[in-house]
Amino acid sequence: NGILSRSWVHSLSAYSPSDILVLCAQPKDKDPYMLQKSTIDDMGENVKVVAVNVPVWNRLDRHCSWLEYAAGLVAQAEVIAEFSPDVILGVDWTGAMAVKALKDKILPLVHTPFVYLNFRIFSESTGITEEDKQFYIERERETLHSAVGVIALSNHDKTILQSILDYDLVNGISSKVEIKVLNPTLRSDIRSLAITKLERLRNRYRMDSFSDRNDTHIPSYSKRSVSDQAMIVSLSQESHTNKPMRDRSRSLHVNMLSNHDLSLSRMQSHTELEKNLSEQRARYHKVKYGFG
């Protein structure tokens, strides 16, 4: 969950004017200054980091250093109290247990709202003992009841977390906390791979390279049409001897043509591009598949 947590901080840093204090753990032999420096350089000047060295690394279960992490943050109570956050975002039950320890130490934090970011439901893990399962259920139940809001990564996770609250309600323990679903964002490196592949296709088949920053006068549906054309030509080049792939190409081409026709009907002022795409479509039909 370190990658997703970093994504949250990066987004908050980039799109929010708020100051951000990151509380995190790191291996005990790590230099805290180097972690703070690299994080601030990457995230922005509105981000500060408090890193706690812990003895156990590369695991997040009940045998990780969650107690040492909480104790390490309590030792930094003065720094955290001075920051005086308006809201606390905590990842999983391990983060919630650290928040609980801080609120016991720093009285002003008692009334600071806590939002539970559920990145993983530990009680649903496979290969664990019944004792482990009960331990996780109790920690996750405590975390749910301590939060003013909960964010799950999927509807499936939301259902499981809600079942814990429903069980408590049957047993006379009510909670007004609402569980929202926020799917994980697309990782920037995956996005870069997709964009690079698309640009290569465009350049390979001499298609105009449009982007959101350039040629803004060309509607987005026209850009999609050009992208689809490049993809179809690529498929036909690679699959002219493979019937299943060829059938797939034809199917995709039909879908592309409907989008393309829509874009042409709305692009009265772009006659040159219309002519270019129409000629390529006709040539594609005749040369690749022998369509008349």
Side-chain angles (χ1 to χ4, degrees):
N1 58 22
I3 294 176
L4 186 54
S5 298
R6 196 176 185 89
S7 175
W8 269 76
V9 176
H10 189 280
S11 297
L12 289 172
S13 172
Y15 301 107
S16 170
S18 304
D19 292 328
I20 301 168
L21 179 64
V22 177
L23 308 179
C24 61
Q26 64 179 8
K28 62 180 181 180
D29 56 349
K30 187 87 171 181
D31 184 352
Y33 171 76
M34 292 305 296
L35 175 68
Q36 294 179 35
K37 183 178 185 304
S38 63
T39 301
I40 292 174
D41 289 346
D42 182 43
M43 299 296 180
E45 295 182 355
N46 60 334
V47 178
K48 296 181 180 179
V49 178
V50 172
V52 175
N53 287 4
V54 294
V56 179
W57 196 244
N58 288 330
R59 66 185 306 168
L60 295 172
D61 58 11
R62 64 182 293 192
H63 303 293
C64 72
S65 295
W66 63 278
L67 287 171
E68 292 86 346
Y69 172 55
L73 291 180
V74 169
Q76 299 285 340
E78 184 175 345
V79 175
I80 299 170
E82 183 179 356
F83 182 77
S84 184
D86 297 311
V87 63
I88 302 174
L89 307 178
V91 178
D92 293 335
W93 66 269
T94 50
M97 296 303 102
V99 172
K100 178 184 177 183
L102 286 173
K103 288 192 172 189
D104 290 341
K105 178 69 175 181
I106 308 172
L107 292 181
L109 290 184
V110 171
H111 302 292
T112 303
F114 166 65
V115 177
Y116 173 23
L117 305 182
N118 178 260
F119 290 176
R120 173 181 170 186
I121 302 180
F122 286 77
S123 57
E124 291 296 303
S125 301
T126 59
I128 60 175
T129 66
E130 186 61 30
E131 181 183 354
D132 289 337
K133 184 177 182 66
Q134 290 303 313
F135 174 88
Y136 293 134
I137 289 177
E138 290 303 317
R139 299 292 84 73
E140 287 165 350
R141 171 178 288 113
E142 184 178 355
T143 302
L144 285 167
H145 286 289
S146 67
V148 298
V150 180
I151 296 179
L153 297 184
S154 67
N155 288 323
H156 176 73
D157 288 355
K158 175 183 177 179
T159 300
I160 296 174
L161 293 173
Q162 187 62 52
S163 69
I164 297 176
L165 294 177
D166 292 343
Y167 176 85
D168 291 343
L169 183 61
V170 172
N171 289 275
I173 305 174
S174 62
S175 174
K176 295 182 179 179
V177 65
E178 186 175 2
I179 304 174
K180 297 284 190 178
V181 175
L182 182 62
N183 299 128
T185 56
L186 181 67
R187 280 173 44 180
S188 58
D189 54 344
I190 302 300
R191 178 179 180 275
S192 296
L193 284 173
I195 292 176
T196 300
K197 176 64 174 177
L198 180 58
E199 289 299 327
R200 287 176 180 173
L201 288 174
R202 285 168 171 165
N203 294 332
R204 180 178 177 184
Y205 299 105
R206 300 178 182 177
M207 304 300 294
D208 292 339
S209 180
F210 303 126
S211 68
D212 293 335
R213 292 171 295 181
N214 299 320
D215 299 304
T216 54
H217 61 287
I218 298 178
S220 59
Y221 44 77
S222 301
K223 299 177 187 178
R224 287 197 300 271
S225 179
V226 173
S227 302
D228 289 342
Q229 183 81 359
M231 178 183 67
I232 297 302
V233 174
S234 174
L235 281 172
S236 66
Q237 288 282 352
E238 297 173 359
S239 63
H240 65 279
T241 59
N242 186 313
K243 185 180 186 301
M245 180 67 79
R246 184 165 66 250
D247 292 341
R248 178 184 172 214
S249 299
R250 291 179 180 175
S251 175
L252 287 171
H253 189 60
V254 170
N255 294 334
M256 182 278 293
L257 289 180
S258 62
N259 292 334
H260 174 61
D261 292 337
L262 175 64
S263 70
L264 289 183
S265 67
R266 300 181 182 177
M267 287 182 57
Q268 301 301 323
S269 61
H270 301 290
T271 56
E272 184 177 350
L273 181 58
E274 292 177 14
K275 181 180 179 181
N276 181 36
L277 289 176
S278 295
E279 289 177 350
Q280 289 191 45
R281 181 174 58 175
R283 185 165 56 250
Y284 172 81
H285 271 239
K286 183 176 182 179
V287 175
K288 297 301 178 184
Y289 298 120
F291 297 160

